[in-house]
DNA sequence: CATGAATGAGCCTTCATTCAT
DNA sequence: GATGAATGAAGGCTCATTCAT
């Protein structure tokens, strides 16, 4: 086509798509994945349902895209927050604590993350890649002793998700992140004292742009579809 | 008529209710909690929707009842399967492995259990009571060293659920249960060698009546609600 | 049949039927005629739906019976409350004011009366018979001058019903009954001064057993189906 | 496409909404407010239930809109039909007779009006505003003598509604409107002779577009909601 | 591309009524 | 005659999806 203004470089289509994804994240946060509707996502994005379907074939596709974006954004930011840390054990602890910390900063957002995770394998896949790398690093450094990578990942992921949930629901004691990270490190084979010490080191600063959940009117999420 | 055997008495209502719960379990297994509909539950139970509402005020109420039944049945059977084991650590390992074993025996059923757990706090509450007891027992026996019960429960529950999911989805290596239980015990403070040894002890036999998931026609569950 | 105990003279069947009618009145009051359900009527009467259908062929039949009972009870009690009054004008005023007074004493009950009236011609028929008699008496006594009985009855009935509604809804000024009766008498041809005087005479006492509306739990009538 | 005439613009949405309201009026007429269903309204409008809910949040909202439209249409047309009449008494009589006349012209429509009035305060409110104005005008002109506006309005409204009902049901003698108006005027304090004379004056012509009730198949209104 | 009105399948829930006991 | 579990026909409402403009 000709009419396409060259001045619109950053892709108008892309911008629209991004806005829709942002809106979807907001609505997923507010209503839960199951409770979200295409019409509300469109409305929040100040668009119409037709437009949503111009970008995504189906509601499921919106979910996939949200998962993808979430995974990318999250992983990058988290991974970039501790490039200088070379120790697998500490990297692992930081990862765990970071997610739990996020749940503290933005419970709604964390619940959404868990919800989206449960609904699509994509998100989890992306996130766990990093955890797996740290796990292997720790093993290579002889900090971790695991005979089954799968078992280790289940513990890491399971404990982390569970802790996020507890924190997001306001039922966690102070320093829950440190406590959980300590147990996980011990499980991975780090001697108790060292585990406690490593897990307690200060968290590196976190790049800006905290995840936003914004306001979506009323009639809160129907059933906290989170995992237990 | 008069000739009706007195054996019929013990509650037709109760029998119907039970049939409905069984049907609900089947449908939850086949479609997931969110994808299940009252009409299909009624149909599977060979009844009408009206009858369902004669027994349960709401779809949510059906879910609650299923959770209750599940919790009661499960906990009793599992707890009774190792009354003679006095060591907290071993009890804990048995519990973990038992659930993972169940996921192996009946993947559909396990997915349903996870799904129902996610949707209602009731079920989890019931199940975790037993795990908590074993945790405290282990602490009293100096096998476990934990500073935060909450963190410990998150690890125990999280790792277990995650492992069940992996097993149910057929992505687990052999002896996954033992591997996970080992890590969990280590996380709870049991020395590595002992942890491995305890987790490897043979599972006590399990009372009959394996959970049934039966067949429900087609159009598989909508949102696999997977997690791994 | 033989088994019918002679000691049960007052008719057990009749008693049951009466209880059902009483229950129906309560439920109609609480939920409105349209909002009432057979199951709640049965429940309030401490019976089962089956029993209701042993006495009434249909919900409509229950309504008819309620209307009949209401008409009989009401008319008798009202008519008997002023047998000594011989003047048509005063009898008319008393009738009007009595209904309005009832609406004051028991708004719920009045709304039900209006609602039942609207739903079945039976009730109104019974009630208006008395008003018509008083109208004719007044005409014969030269107090009233009307060329159309129908028009007169419309004014009498319409004004009365409207006033009951206003009173029942708590939107009437004090002495609304007297004011309305005065206007009606004037409309019927009574000179203003006399109309005011007659309408203001003290109401004769009213036989006991005020209409009961009792308590029926919550979830009040859906839409005050009353007439405007 | 481009060739679309600009004449289409003035709101497809509005047109649809209007069609729905028209359909609702038809269905309300045929089945009564309580007996009307959203599906039949949709069907009569040649649309689907979903479309109805695209325009009205709830069945109640449809009723409100119908009431609003009815009130606006009616009041304007009636008020405009006698702008030149300056006498309160005559205006009052015209109003009364006009409604009764409408019931004669279109009984179904009148019954619907009464039914809608009963179900929502909106309609009545709008209609009575005009009657109240005429009442006050008559009082200022010393034609009426009333001590309670509320009582007067109850008589006016009540007698009018009752008369409409009787006429709509075909049970009224000829000239019922005049007869009722006469009585009402007398009730408001107009001397009998004058009342009769004023009420008998010819009705001014009425602007076109008589209310249509059309045909809606069978299975007549469930509860005739009659009143006398 | 965007629009947004329209669709229609389907869900949850209610309730008058039946009937075996 | 009483019981009450079961029925099943509707009804209100939601929402993913389509399509003409």
């Amino acid at each position: 086509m000709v009419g396409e203004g060259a001045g619109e470089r950053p892709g108008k289509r892309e911008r629209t798509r991004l806005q829709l994804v942002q809106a979807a994240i907001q609505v997923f946060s507010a209503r839960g994945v199951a409770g979200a509707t295409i019409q509300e996502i469109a409305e929040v994005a100040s668009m119409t349902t037709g437009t949503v379907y111009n970008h995504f074939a189906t509601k499921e596709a919106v979910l996939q895209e949200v998962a993808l974006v979430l995974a990318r954004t999250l992983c990058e930011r988290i991974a970039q927050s501790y490039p200088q840390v070379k120790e697998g054990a500490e990297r692992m602890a930081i990862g765990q604590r970071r997610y739990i910390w996020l749940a503290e900063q933005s419970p709604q957002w964390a619940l959404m993350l868990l919800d989206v995770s449960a609904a699509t394998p994509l998100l989890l896949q992306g996130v766990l890649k990093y955890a797996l790398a740290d796990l292997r690093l720790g093993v290579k450094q002889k900090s971790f002793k695991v005979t089954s990578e799968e078992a280790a990942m289940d513990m890491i992921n399971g404990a982390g998700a569970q802790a996020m949930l507890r924190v997001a629901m306001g039922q966690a004691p102070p320093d829950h992140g440190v406590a959980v990270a300590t147990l996980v490190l011990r499980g991975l084979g780090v001697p108790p004292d060292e585990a406690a010490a490593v897990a307690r080191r200060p968290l590196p600063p976190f790049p800006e742009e905290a995840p936003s959940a914004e306001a979506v009117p009323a009639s809160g999420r129907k059933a906290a579809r989170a995992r237990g």
Side-chain angles (χ1 to χ4, degrees), chain A residues 165-176:
Chain A
L165 187 55
R166 188 189 292 266
V167 168
M169 298 183 49
Q171 295 170 350
D175 279 323
H176 194 55

Side-chain angles (χ1 to χ4, degrees), chain A residues 4-37:
Chain A
E4 216 250 287
E8 309 202 51
R9 187 52 41 69
K12 183 168 103 177
R13 184 169 181 80
E14 284 317 307
R15 267 209 323 283
T16 301
R17 190 183 175 88
L18 187 60
Q19 283 172 29
L20 284 172
V21 171
Q22 302 289 2
I25 291 178
Q26 268 181 59
V27 176
F28 284 168
S29 291
R31 312 260 184 251
V33 168
T37 73

Side-chain angles (χ1 to χ4, degrees), chain A residues 15 22 24 47 61 73 76 143 158-159 177 180 203 205-206 220:
Chain A
R15 267 209 323 283
Q22 302 289 2
M47 291 166 187
T73 316
E76 269 177 33
S143 301
V180 170
L203 266 184
F206 196 60

Side-chain angles (χ1 to χ4, degrees), chain A residues 66-89:
Chain A
V66 165
L68 209 71
V69 167
L70 241 37
R72 264 209 290 268
T73 316
L74 251 193
C75 295
E76 269 177 33
R77 288 176 60 215
I78 292 191
Q80 289 173 1
S81 78
Y82 53 101
Q84 73 294 356
V85 179
K86 302 302 183 197
E87 202 180 330

Side-chain angles (χ1 to χ4, degrees), chain A residues 132-216:
Chain A
L132 183 56
D134 290 343
L135 172 64
R136 286 174 176 164
L137 178 60
V139 167
K140 201 193 310 180
Q141 295 169 341
K142 314 281 190 204
S143 301
F144 299 156
K145 274 159 213 98
V146 300
T147 56
S148 160
E149 256 183 3
E150 287 86 356
M153 288 306 293
D154 280 352
M155 182 181 64
I156 293 165
N157 181 23
Q162 205 62 234
M164 284 182 77
L165 187 55
R166 188 189 292 266
V167 168
M169 298 183 49
Q171 295 170 350
D175 279 323
H176 194 55
V178 172
V180 170
T182 302
L183 295 195
V184 168
L185 289 185
R186 292 195 331 201
L188 292 175
V190 178
D193 292 345
E194 191 183 331
V198 169
R200 191 180 297 125
R201 291 184 194 155
L203 266 184
F206 196 60
E208 281 312 307
E209 192 212 11
S212 71
E214 309 283 312
V216 164

